[in-house]
Amino acid sequence: MRFRLAAKAMRYWRSGAAFRRRFGLFSGTRIFWAYANAKYRLKAGTLVRVRIPEWHRTIVLRAQSSDPTVFVQLIINRELDLDIVPPPRRIIDGGANIGLASLTFARRWPAATIVAIELERE
């Protein structure tokens, strides 16, 4: 029984490594647990607040939705950290979901006008 618990704890520790590398030990662990709860544990529709230290902002993720996956893609893996020269003046975020891509673009190019479109009401 103890071995099972220790093995499970190690799996959780390893799966949170990217979060700790990105945000440091304490913030990374806290953000990972919020992500893991939203992704796997909480019932659908439950809102999970995640504070992003460098953004000085709190993001809300819906549990059991695509939000936690999008969060990892954009915030942890930084898939939208693009080098565009010259900087864009207008950005259209078609399929804005919860607006994480729009926030990422706004941080990267603060002078750009961003139009976010999302057809789903949630």
Side-chain angles (χ1 to χ4, degrees), residues 12 20 40 46 49 55 63 67-68 74-75 87 93 103 114-115:
Y12 278 129
R20 289 189 302 278
Y40 302 110
T46 304
R49 297 183 187 286
W55 287 20
D67 296 355
L74 300 183
I75 308 301
D93 181 5
L103 287 172
I114 300 172
V115 177

Side-chain angles (χ1 to χ4, degrees), residues 19 23 27-36 50-53 71:
F19 291 79
F23 296 111
S27 291
T29 301
R30 180 180 45 79
I31 292 170
F32 170 72
W33 281 109
Y35 157 79
V50 180
R51 176 126 176 95
I52 307 299
F71 175 80

Side-chain angles (χ1 to χ4, degrees), residues 19 22-23 31 35 38 48-52 54-55 57-62 65-81 91-109 114-118:
F19 291 79
R22 175 83 167 80
F23 296 111
I31 292 170
Y35 157 79
V48 177
R49 297 183 187 286
V50 180
R51 176 126 176 95
I52 307 299
E54 64 195 34
W55 287 20
R57 161 178 318 256
T58 299
I59 295 171
V60 178
L61 304 176
R62 296 168 295 188
S65 70
S66 63
D67 296 355
T69 304
V70 171
F71 175 80
V72 168
Q73 289 173 335
L74 300 183
I75 308 301
I76 304 301
N77 297 340
R78 296 181 175 186
E79 290 183 8
L80 288 181
D81 278 2
I91 299 170
I92 299 173
D93 181 5
N97 196 358
I98 59 171
L100 282 178
S102 297
L103 287 172
T104 303
F105 293 143
R107 283 184 45 79
R108 180 90 166 135
W109 298 291
I114 300 172
V115 177
I117 302 167
E118 177 55 54

